[in-house]
Amino acid sequence: MASKHEGRRIRLGMVGGGEGAFIGAVHRIAARLDDRYELVAGALSSTPERAARSAEALGLPRSYPDFAAMARAEAARPDGIEAVSIVTPNHLHAAAAHAFLDAGIHVVCDKPMTATLAEARALADHARRSGLVFALTHNYTGYPMVRQARDMVREGMLGALRVVQVEYAQDWLAEAFEETGNKQAGWRTDPARAGAGGCIGDIGTHAFNLAAFVTGLALDEVSAELTAFVPGRRLDDDVRAMLRYAGGARGMLWASQVAVGEENEVRLRVYGTAGGLDWCQRDANRLSYTPLGGVRQTLTRNGAGAGEANRRASRVPAGHPEGYLEGFANIYADAADAILAARAGRVGGDPDFPSVADGVTGLGFVEAAVRSSAAGGAWTRLA
Amino acid sequence: MASKHEGRRIRLGMVGGGEGAFIGAVHRIAARLDDRYELVAGALSSTPERAARSAEALGLPRSYPDFAAMARAEAARPDGIEAVSIVTPNHLHAAAAHAFLDAGIHVVCDKPMTATLAEARALADHARRSGLVFALTHNYTGYPMVRQARDMVREGMLGALRVVQVEYAQDWLAEAFEETGNKQAGWRTDPARAGAGGCIGDIGTHAFNLAAFVTGLALDEVSAELTAFVPGRRLDDDVRAMLRYAGGARGMLWASQVAVGEENEVRLRVYGTAGGLDWCQRDANRLSYTPLGGVRQTLTRNGAGAGEANRRASRVPAGHPEGYLEGFANIYADAADAILAARAGRVGGDPDFPSVADGVTGLGFVEAAVRSSAAGGAWTRLA
Amino acid sequence: MASKHEGRRIRLGMVGGGEGAFIGAVHRIAARLDDRYELVAGALSSTPERAARSAEALGLPRSYPDFAAMARAEAARPDGIEAVSIVTPNHLHAAAAHAFLDAGIHVVCDKPMTATLAEARALADHARRSGLVFALTHNYTGYPMVRQARDMVREGMLGALRVVQVEYAQDWLAEAFEETGNKQAGWRTDPARAGAGGCIGDIGTHAFNLAAFVTGLALDEVSAELTAFVPGRRLDDDVRAMLRYAGGARGMLWASQVAVGEENEVRLRVYGTAGGLDWCQRDANRLSYTPLGGVRQTLTRNGAGAGEANRRASRVPAGHPEGYLEGFANIYADAADAILAARAGRVGGDPDFPSVADGVTGLGFVEAAVRSSAAGGAWTRLA
Amino acid sequence: MASKHEGRRIRLGMVGGGEGAFIGAVHRIAARLDDRYELVAGALSSTPERAARSAEALGLPRSYPDFAAMARAEAARPDGIEAVSIVTPNHLHAAAAHAFLDAGIHVVCDKPMTATLAEARALADHARRSGLVFALTHNYTGYPMVRQARDMVREGMLGALRVVQVEYAQDWLAEAFEETGNKQAGWRTDPARAGAGGCIGDIGTHAFNLAAFVTGLALDEVSAELTAFVPGRRLDDDVRAMLRYAGGARGMLWASQVAVGEENEVRLRVYGTAGGLDWCQRDANRLSYTPLGGVRQTLTRNGAGAGEANRRASRVPAGHPEGYLEGFANIYADAADAILAARAGRVGGDPDFPSVADGVTGLGFVEAAVRSSAAGGAWTRLA
């Protein structure tokens, strides 16, 4: 139990995540938690002074004014970074990722992978050609019970899948928070920085990815309606979608940033011919499973009945809750394994963490949903 | 507390609800629970022998071979029934209801009100002209916390409504139960007896009605997909729909009879500019409410913070759960009040129970959803 | 499903339960719910005018000024009552029960059975000699999941029992409610009418009985502390006790009427060598069971995995909650079966409902706990 | 949000926590999570080879064969450790702690503080004289909602406290796990290494401390029964106790290691004249609060209504769960603040984390409970 790889640290850099950012600190904790990384360099802000000030506050040995300088300089150092975390607003992911891939540096990138599907495809091509590790932090897939769920689907415990219900509801944008000068709200509601989707890109992609990760189903078509409920908002703050998966399964997805009272409610339910599953972030250490005609069972993190992936992703005994940061850290820990494997020349199998293929699918979902909504909810195939 | 009207019983008859039926016994308990009715006559089955046998088993004073004979004979008796419960399969509701209205007898009718929208409209016209009470047993509206929710919406505690999420999931038809000879499954999956909708008529209408009751919103358009997952099934067993309400609120509705592990999960969430509500049948004695920017509150049946409708619909102190039968009984008790008022010549205001208008809207929803699904999910206005 | 015996009614009388009473109305609903009884006579109040007024309000055919007159008169009628419900304050139970037993009338009696252990023993002797049915409404034993729990213990699914945790917490006496003139609070806090125990007699006996019913264990010794937290209160409003059961199991019992925020929280947990059980009234339709080394299972009322007693005590399908009144009604329905069996000359086996033996044990528990508390918590054997 | 002090690391050593240990890895993650410490030295095992192997596996710069050598050597280095984590079995805490205090090194020590009350007092004296920081990892006090609860009690939101219910139940020792060679089970059930209490020392002290932390109440007397249910076990595996607090509050404590199905259920309920609180580890990010006569409220970690201590102990937004490791890390982070303050010559006020006084009280509780149990549950004053 607890992290098995303490003591072997990968040198890590970070782009974005300086003063006023939220997700940068989460990435740093996640990287640090299992002692698999050492953060040694950063281009933490788009303004050089803030970047330097942020780096100093964190005690970073090396600070750069921008990602390009950092990629160049670190690639040239014998003790340069081996991997980089990209945690900027969405529209800056692609350029930074290309630069580090060019420099031979592994990438951990926040989601959505890029601002557009075209960018996502180009980045995926680049990443694949590079042979480098590319991890996309759809962090909900890092929860042990989510991995348990995926394995149960793979093992056929649900039979043929029929219905998928996924949702991600929060309420922090129930009012025009972006007009108060809040940095997080500002860029997330700005098409120039967030991309074509607001709520759908920010949290809808998490919901979509979570369903895809657990079910393994490919989405064929979507019928969506994107709404901006808050007056003056330029991007959607609530998304409702119907889903047609390959093979006949059907689903619904709801993502909302105006659902008053919901803090970060992420829930996935999957029903097949042989069983049903129910997981939500609020009760993240538990997974409800009912076999057809049987009694509901509550599987727990690292508890009785836990599968191998569940146990591997756990640090402490059952009953002691692990949370968001530990799930996030699992993505980092698995990326570290992949990086070590790559360094050792081993060709990776299917990694446990979301990667460029998921990034492409995610942007494909966003763009199809946006098109569908613009066309009055017409069923729209993923490009 | 507890029933305030014990001892003043209305003479009641029943159509349907004989051997092998489920909902008939529920209606009888609901009618009896608060001592407002005395069941004295029945046409309990479509076959005269079974009707007689069922009546005898229940100790009914008068049994009839069919509803027409019963309406005629009871109307002629000085001690004839004052009200009738119609609990047959859907396709028989309309004819029976017309007969009793013609006979000047108040009607309590199971849902969906009729098999078609045209029938529903004709019945509604008849009922309105008759001046008689017509209660439609969308029983979930009888739960005290559902009435509390409605009142909170009316009082503006949610502000302007934005998002409605409603669902009703069960799993008893996850396999082809209708092929086993089960009476309930048989007629519910038979278009000739259930009408154009399967799952949507049986439980989708409950979900739709529950949302309408609490929100008070009128549905403008629906985009739906109806699916029959079980091979060979002739009617839908899973419905997914997107909803556009008048005034700009948006919603989703999911009803399923193949959701393995769900027993009878009924849940409604409503979000507005000023607050959010969450209620589910599984925890029927509680209602979660969060004001914008505030702390989540758990209102309870008959507890601190309970409004007048909540208290009025309660029998026992808070903490002692009331359930499905008590909610059902509240419809009957309110109908009894309306019948007494009608008898006394008082013109009723807006009754607390669903009535013919709700029946028409419900069938309008079913037919619009069926049409939308047939048209590939096209947004379809309610006729 | 639903009540199987509609239509065969036992003639019932009631002592107590007039104006201002709470539990009388509960008994009436419980008796009526399954159509097993017809309430035809009453001595509903200790003041003749109120008794008459209450009887008229309920539409009772026959009203009596006191229980003695009622027992005498009803016994003499060919259509006299066959059973009586005694729902007065505690100190009046014994005299009334004796009178009806003398008159050959079956008894349903509210709890605690009497005000003292000596009275309880005398009443038990009388009841046994009479051959009549005596049901004690420890109504929590009527919940289907409580009966399921009992059967699982009997079947050995928990192995040898080790630890019992039982509690009943409410808050309606957190302030000196008895000083406001409230009738319920008044007699319950008055030693002359409630007996030697306040909280322990009113709800502590329920908790004690619930544990005994499910575990089947006999209590050897108790170490208790009874406290009156509210200034001026003459009886305990909070009880804490440690329990030593025969055979080595150990337990704790907590009952409180000052636990602010608890409405009527009744919870029982039982742990043995082979499994653990958890049930609470708040989630009354579910029972949690974990086998040693296994996964937690949630059994439901009338659902998959439901045993025979569970199904027999259920009326509606799984997922539709049944509650307090239905549990109470199960005691009445089972008493009806026993009365019919007695009428038919069949000697009853072990009835499913609490009876005089439970009443004696309950008073034994109350008196031992009161003595233990007076002796500074000394371990005290049940007399 | 997220850790505010990244980048300023305290040099840390560790005693114990090598191969086969559990809590050592937890301490390391907790120390690392907020980047406040750098682990640079260790005496990780009682056998030198294992100590060295463990240190190498963790990448520790300096490994010592025993704590005495480590204290001596590190005190002599200019870059020696500033603080040490002591994570050995209980009986070794005292000697190690004295050694590091003598060396002028701050101490973080696992619980229970020592094996005996006499040792605890001596250590407390030493720690106070030293002026060094001494943090005792009663980690449940690190949960944001536990601190919120404490502050609500302090602010008088519960009024005068009346009833305390605390419990800690787990099931990993439901069988004779110690006979399988398991290291954790071995020392915890061995009086020579665990001290006079088994379950009471291991988890009973956590429960006791949690109640003390939140309520601020001093325990006057305890009446306890300690039981070893598993045949052959030499220390208690289940503890039941009644509590008398100074000022009149009363309580119960249950700790069990044989409660089949309970993973690590820690729950505290506190009731006062003005309100009630309910917190459990299973739902660690929420705290239930009900004001007298009011509606139940659910406060959340970092959510609406969160107090200052709650927010300060949080890293990520409300709705994203934080867990056991984050709570543990809060103890470490607060100890880091205290160490920096001590280094800066500032005299500390009342620290937010448990310290030597709590260690003394905890051992006082253990010894009183053991004595009470031996004396048949006699009320026993804390020495």
Side-chain angles (χ1 to χ4, degrees):
Chain A
M1 219 162 309
S3 55
K4 288 138 298 206
H5 297 275
E6 295 177 305
R8 313 162 74 187
R9 301 190 195 93
I10 293 164
R11 293 184 302 277
L12 182 70
M14 179 169 276
V15 179
E19 295 171 356
F22 149 61
I23 204 68
V26 167
H27 278 255
R28 288 192 295 270
I29 296 175
R32 195 158 60 223
L33 201 138
D34 293 308
D35 209 24
R36 306 295 302 276
Y37 296 88
E38 184 176 18
L39 185 64
V40 294
L44 300 176
S45 178
S46 50
T47 60
E49 314 79 56
R50 275 167 61 167
R53 204 163 55 222
S54 299
E56 194 191 346
L58 294 175
L60 284 203
R62 303 187 292 276
S63 173
Y64 297 92
D66 61 65
F67 70 77
M70 177 165 150
R72 215 162 33 232
E74 291 292 317
R77 294 176 66 107
D79 64 347
I81 60 172
E82 300 161 275
V84 69
S85 294
I86 300 174
V87 297
T88 63
N90 306 343
H91 68 306
L92 301 173
H93 292 175
H98 282 295
F100 287 94
L101 292 175
D102 279 335
I105 291 167
H106 303 286
V107 173
V108 178
C109 183
D110 210 69
K111 49 41 59 183
M113 188 163 76
T114 58
T116 69
L117 175 57
E119 282 178 0
R121 285 182 170 148
L123 183 54
D125 284 346
H126 191 177
R128 287 188 193 110
R129 284 194 318 271
S130 73
L132 294 162
V133 172
F134 191 105
L136 187 66
T137 52
H138 275 305
N139 57 288
Y140 302 96
T141 67
Y143 275 112
M145 301 320 292
V146 169
R147 293 180 176 186
Q148 170 90 37
R150 178 201 56 184
D151 289 356
M152 291 170 75
V153 170
R154 283 184 182 169
E155 289 160 15
M157 294 178 71
L158 272 72
L161 301 188
R162 286 171 168 171
V163 180
V164 177
Q165 292 282 347
V166 66
E167 59 189 49
Y168 190 146
Q170 55 185 209
D171 68 359
W172 72 300
L173 294 178
E175 296 183 294
F177 197 30
E178 63 267 39
E179 296 175 6
T180 65
N182 177 275
K183 181 177 167 178
Q184 301 301 321
W187 76 255
R188 279 184 171 81
T189 59
D190 176 4
R193 289 177 286 171
C199 175
I200 195 171
D202 196 30
I203 60 174
T205 51
H206 271 312
F208 170 76
N209 176 266
L210 175 63
F213 180 83
V214 169
T215 65
L217 293 174
L219 188 67
D220 267 357
E221 296 181 288
V222 61
S223 165
E225 185 168 48
L226 281 62
T227 308
F229 279 108
V230 173
R233 183 156 292 159
R234 292 178 292 161
L235 286 172
D236 58 288
D237 49 29
D238 190 278
V239 176
R240 297 159 311 284
M242 301 198 292
L243 311 172
R244 288 179 176 165
Y245 288 101
R250 294 291 179 261
M252 298 175 90
L253 180 149
W254 175 47
S256 182
Q257 297 174 318
V258 299
V260 176
E262 308 302 351
E263 292 184 330
N264 275 288
E265 287 288 305
V266 184
R267 186 181 186 194
L268 173 67
R269 290 172 288 178
V270 183
Y271 305 95
T273 52
L277 282 179
D278 190 351
W279 178 85
C280 69
Q281 185 181 230
R282 181 150 42 95
D283 199 17
N285 290 270
R286 299 180 167 224
L287 171 67
S288 181
Y289 167 65
T290 314
L292 180 67
V295 173
R296 185 173 291 267
Q297 301 169 12
T298 303
L299 295 153
T300 58
R301 193 192 51 69
N302 220 356
E308 194 270 336
N310 177 342
R311 293 191 183 278
R312 215 178 64 83
S314 293
R315 290 160 192 80
V316 295
H320 294 313
E322 296 195 27
Y324 177 87
L325 292 167
E326 288 82 358
F328 220 110
N330 284 332
I331 307 284
Y332 266 89
D334 290 338
D337 286 342
I339 290 168
L340 295 186
R343 193 200 276 173
R346 292 197 303 276
V347 178
D350 196 20
D352 233 15
F353 50 83
S355 184
V356 281
D358 303 280
V360 171
T361 317
L363 269 299
F365 170 69
V366 169
E367 295 205 352
V370 169
R371 280 206 316 278
S372 172
S373 185
W379 283 105
T380 303
R381 296 195 70 79
L382 266 66
Chain B
M1 221 161 312
S3 55
K4 288 138 297 204
H5 298 273
E6 294 176 303
R8 315 161 74 186
R9 299 190 197 93
I10 293 164
R11 293 184 301 278
L12 181 69
M14 179 167 279
V15 179
E19 296 173 356
F22 149 61
I23 204 69
V26 168
H27 278 256
R28 288 192 294 271
I29 296 176
R32 195 159 59 222
L33 203 137
D34 294 309
D35 208 24
R36 307 294 304 275
Y37 298 87
E38 185 175 16
L39 186 64
V40 294
L44 300 176
S45 178
S46 49
T47 61
E49 313 79 56
R50 275 168 62 167
R53 204 165 52 224
S54 298
E56 193 192 347
L58 294 174
L60 284 201
R62 303 188 289 278
S63 174
Y64 297 92
D66 58 66
F67 68 78
M70 175 165 153
R72 216 162 32 233
E74 291 291 321
R77 294 177 66 106
D79 64 346
I81 60 172
E82 302 160 274
V84 69
S85 295
I86 301 174
V87 298
T88 63
N90 307 343
H91 68 306
L92 301 172
H93 292 175
H98 282 295
F100 287 96
L101 291 175
D102 279 335
I105 292 168
H106 302 286
V107 174
V108 178
C109 183
D110 211 70
K111 45 45 63 185
M113 188 163 76
T114 57
T116 69
L117 175 57
E119 284 178 359
R121 284 182 171 148
L123 183 54
D125 283 347
H126 191 177
R128 285 188 195 111
R129 284 195 317 269
S130 73
L132 294 163
V133 171
F134 191 107
L136 187 67
T137 52
H138 276 304
N139 58 289
Y140 302 96
T141 67
Y143 276 112
M145 301 320 291
V146 169
R147 293 183 174 183
Q148 170 89 37
R150 178 201 56 185
D151 289 355
M152 291 171 75
V153 170
R154 283 185 182 168
E155 290 160 14
M157 294 179 71
L158 273 73
L161 301 189
R162 286 171 167 170
V163 181
V164 176
Q165 292 282 345
V166 66
E167 60 190 47
Y168 191 147
Q170 55 184 211
D171 68 359
W172 72 299
L173 294 178
E175 295 184 296
F177 196 30
E178 63 268 38
E179 295 175 6
T180 66
N182 178 275
K183 181 178 167 179
Q184 301 301 320
W187 74 256
R188 279 184 171 81
T189 58
D190 175 6
R193 287 178 286 172
C199 175
I200 194 169
D202 196 31
I203 58 173
T205 50
H206 271 312
F208 170 76
N209 177 265
L210 175 63
F213 180 84
V214 170
T215 65
L217 293 174
L219 188 67
D220 267 357
E221 296 181 288
V222 62
S223 165
E225 186 168 48
L226 279 62
T227 308
F229 279 109
V230 172
R233 182 157 291 158
R234 291 178 292 162
L235 286 172
D236 59 288
D237 50 29
D238 190 279
V239 176
R240 298 160 309 286
M242 300 197 294
L243 310 173
R244 288 180 176 163
Y245 287 101
R250 295 290 179 260
M252 298 174 90
L253 178 150
W254 175 48
S256 183
Q257 297 174 318
V258 299
V260 177
E262 309 302 353
E263 293 184 330
N264 274 291
E265 286 288 305
V266 184
R267 187 182 186 193
L268 173 67
R269 290 173 286 178
V270 184
Y271 305 95
T273 52
L277 283 179
D278 190 351
W279 178 85
C280 68
Q281 185 181 225
R282 181 151 42 94
D283 199 16
N285 290 270
R286 301 181 167 225
L287 171 68
S288 181
Y289 166 66
T290 315
L292 179 67
V295 172
R296 185 174 292 267
Q297 301 169 14
T298 303
L299 295 153
T300 59
R301 194 192 50 70
N302 220 354
E308 193 270 335
N310 176 343
R311 293 190 182 278
R312 214 178 65 83
S314 293
R315 290 160 191 80
V316 294
H320 294 313
E322 295 194 28
Y324 177 88
L325 291 167
E326 287 83 357
F328 220 110
N330 284 332
I331 307 285
Y332 267 89
D334 291 338
D337 287 342
I339 290 168
L340 294 185
R343 193 199 279 173
R346 292 197 303 278
V347 178
D350 196 20
D352 233 17
F353 51 84
S355 185
V356 281
D358 303 279
V360 171
T361 317
L363 268 297
F365 169 69
V366 169
E367 295 206 352
V370 169
R371 283 207 314 280
S372 172
S373 185
W379 283 104
T380 303
R381 295 196 70 80
L382 265 65
Chain C
M1 217 160 313
S3 56
K4 288 139 297 209
H5 298 274
E6 295 177 303
R8 314 161 73 187
R9 300 192 195 91
I10 293 164
R11 294 185 300 279
L12 182 70
M14 179 168 277
V15 179
E19 295 172 357
F22 149 61
I23 204 69
V26 167
H27 278 255
R28 288 192 294 270
I29 295 175
R32 195 159 58 224
L33 203 138
D34 293 309
D35 208 24
R36 306 294 302 275
Y37 297 88
E38 185 175 16
L39 185 64
V40 295
L44 301 175
S45 180
S46 48
T47 60
E49 314 78 56
R50 273 166 65 165
R53 203 164 52 222
S54 298
E56 193 192 348
L58 294 175
L60 284 201
R62 304 188 290 276
S63 174
Y64 297 92
D66 58 67
F67 69 79
M70 176 164 151
R72 216 163 30 233
E74 291 291 320
R77 294 177 67 104
D79 65 345
I81 60 172
E82 301 160 274
V84 69
S85 294
I86 301 174
V87 298
T88 63
N90 306 344
H91 68 306
L92 301 173
H93 293 176
H98 283 295
F100 287 95
L101 291 175
D102 279 335
I105 292 169
H106 303 286
V107 173
V108 178
C109 183
D110 211 70
K111 43 48 58 184
M113 188 163 77
T114 58
T116 68
L117 175 57
E119 284 177 358
R121 284 181 172 147
L123 183 54
D125 284 346
H126 191 177
R128 287 190 193 108
R129 284 195 316 271
S130 74
L132 295 163
V133 171
F134 191 106
L136 187 66
T137 51
H138 276 305
N139 57 288
Y140 302 97
T141 67
Y143 276 113
M145 302 319 293
V146 169
R147 294 182 174 185
Q148 170 89 36
R150 177 201 56 184
D151 289 354
M152 291 170 75
V153 170
R154 283 184 181 170
E155 289 160 15
M157 294 179 71
L158 272 72
L161 302 189
R162 286 171 166 170
V163 181
V164 177
Q165 293 283 345
V166 66
E167 60 189 49
Y168 191 145
Q170 55 185 207
D171 67 0
W172 73 300
L173 294 178
E175 295 183 295
F177 197 30
E178 62 268 38
E179 296 176 5
T180 65
N182 177 276
K183 180 177 168 179
Q184 300 302 319
W187 76 256
R188 279 183 172 80
T189 58
D190 175 6
R193 288 177 284 172
C199 174
I200 194 170
D202 196 31
I203 58 173
T205 49
H206 271 311
F208 171 75
N209 177 267
L210 175 63
F213 180 84
V214 170
T215 66
L217 293 173
L219 188 66
D220 268 357
E221 296 181 288
V222 61
S223 165
E225 186 168 48
L226 280 61
T227 309
F229 279 110
V230 172
R233 183 157 290 159
R234 292 177 292 161
L235 286 172
D236 57 289
D237 50 28
D238 189 280
V239 177
R240 297 159 311 284
M242 300 197 293
L243 311 172
R244 288 179 177 165
Y245 288 102
R250 295 291 180 260
M252 298 175 90
L253 179 149
W254 174 48
S256 183
Q257 296 174 318
V258 299
V260 177
E262 309 302 352
E263 293 184 330
N264 274 290
E265 286 288 305
V266 184
R267 187 181 184 194
L268 173 67
R269 290 172 288 178
V270 183
Y271 305 95
T273 53
L277 282 179
D278 189 351
W279 178 84
C280 67
Q281 184 180 227
R282 180 150 42 94
D283 199 16
N285 291 271
R286 300 182 166 221
L287 171 67
S288 182
Y289 167 65
T290 314
L292 179 68
V295 172
R296 184 174 292 268
Q297 301 169 14
T298 303
L299 295 152
T300 58
R301 194 192 48 71
N302 221 352
E308 194 270 337
N310 176 341
R311 293 190 183 280
R312 215 178 64 82
S314 293
R315 289 159 192 80
V316 294
H320 294 312
E322 294 194 29
Y324 177 87
L325 291 168
E326 288 82 357
F328 220 110
N330 284 332
I331 307 286
Y332 266 89
D334 290 339
D337 285 342
I339 290 168
L340 294 186
R343 191 199 280 173
R346 291 197 303 277
V347 177
D350 196 20
D352 232 16
F353 50 84
S355 185
V356 281
D358 304 279
V360 171
T361 318
L363 268 299
F365 169 70
V366 169
E367 295 205 353
V370 169
R371 283 206 314 280
S372 172
S373 185
W379 283 104
T380 303
R381 296 196 69 80
L382 266 65
Chain D
M1 220 161 312
S3 56
K4 288 139 294 203
H5 296 274
E6 293 176 303
R8 315 161 73 187
R9 300 191 195 93
I10 293 164
R11 293 183 303 278
L12 182 69
M14 179 169 276
V15 179
E19 296 172 357
F22 149 60
I23 205 68
V26 167
H27 278 256
R28 288 193 294 271
I29 296 176
R32 196 158 59 223
L33 202 138
D34 293 309
D35 209 25
R36 306 294 303 275
Y37 297 87
E38 183 175 19
L39 185 65
V40 295
L44 300 176
S45 179
S46 50
T47 61
E49 314 79 57
R50 275 169 61 167
R53 203 163 55 223
S54 299
E56 194 191 347
L58 293 175
L60 284 201
R62 302 187 292 276
S63 174
Y64 297 91
D66 59 64
F67 70 76
M70 177 165 150
R72 215 162 33 232
E74 290 291 321
R77 294 176 66 107
D79 64 345
I81 60 171
E82 301 161 274
V84 69
S85 295
I86 300 174
V87 296
T88 64
N90 306 343
H91 67 307
L92 301 173
H93 292 175
H98 283 295
F100 287 97
L101 292 174
D102 279 334
I105 291 168
H106 303 286
V107 173
V108 179
C109 184
D110 211 70
K111 45 47 63 186
M113 188 163 76
T114 58
T116 69
L117 175 57
E119 283 178 1
R121 285 181 171 147
L123 182 55
D125 284 346
H126 190 175
R128 286 189 193 111
R129 286 195 316 270
S130 75
L132 294 164
V133 171
F134 191 105
L136 186 67
T137 52
H138 275 305
N139 56 287
Y140 302 96
T141 67
Y143 275 112
M145 300 321 291
V146 169
R147 294 182 175 185
Q148 169 89 39
R150 177 201 56 186
D151 289 354
M152 291 169 75
V153 171
R154 283 185 181 168
E155 290 160 15
M157 295 178 70
L158 272 72
L161 301 189
R162 286 171 167 171
V163 181
V164 177
Q165 292 283 346
V166 66
E167 60 190 47
Y168 191 146
Q170 56 185 210
D171 68 358
W172 73 300
L173 295 177
E175 295 183 295
F177 197 29
E178 63 268 39
E179 296 175 6
T180 65
N182 177 276
K183 181 177 167 178
Q184 301 301 321
W187 74 255
R188 279 184 171 81
T189 58
D190 175 6
R193 288 177 285 171
C199 175
I200 195 171
D202 197 30
I203 60 173
T205 49
H206 271 311
F208 170 76
N209 176 266
L210 175 63
F213 180 84
V214 169
T215 64
L217 294 174
L219 188 66
D220 267 357
E221 296 180 290
V222 62
S223 164
E225 186 167 48
L226 280 62
T227 308
F229 279 108
V230 173
R233 183 157 291 160
R234 292 179 291 163
L235 286 171
D236 58 289
D237 50 28
D238 189 279
V239 176
R240 297 158 311 286
M242 300 197 292
L243 311 173
R244 288 179 177 165
Y245 287 102
R250 294 292 180 261
M252 298 175 90
L253 179 149
W254 175 48
S256 182
Q257 296 174 318
V258 299
V260 176
E262 308 302 349
E263 293 184 329
N264 274 289
E265 287 287 306
V266 185
R267 188 181 185 193
L268 173 67
R269 289 172 288 176
V270 184
Y271 305 95
T273 52
L277 282 178
D278 189 350
W279 178 85
C280 68
Q281 185 181 225
R282 180 151 42 95
D283 200 15
N285 290 270
R286 299 180 168 224
L287 171 67
S288 181
Y289 166 67
T290 314
L292 179 67
V295 173
R296 185 173 292 267
Q297 302 170 11
T298 304
L299 296 153
T300 59
R301 193 192 51 69
N302 220 355
E308 193 271 335
N310 177 342
R311 293 189 182 280
R312 215 178 64 81
S314 293
R315 290 159 191 81
V316 294
H320 295 312
E322 296 195 28
Y324 177 88
L325 292 167
E326 288 82 357
F328 220 110
N330 284 332
I331 307 286
Y332 267 90
D334 291 337
D337 286 342
I339 290 169
L340 294 186
R343 191 200 279 172
R346 292 198 302 276
V347 177
D350 197 20
D352 232 15
F353 51 83
S355 185
V356 281
D358 303 279
V360 171
T361 318
L363 268 298
F365 169 70
V366 169
E367 295 205 351
V370 169
R371 282 206 316 278
S372 171
S373 186
W379 282 105
T380 303
R381 296 196 68 81
L382 266 65

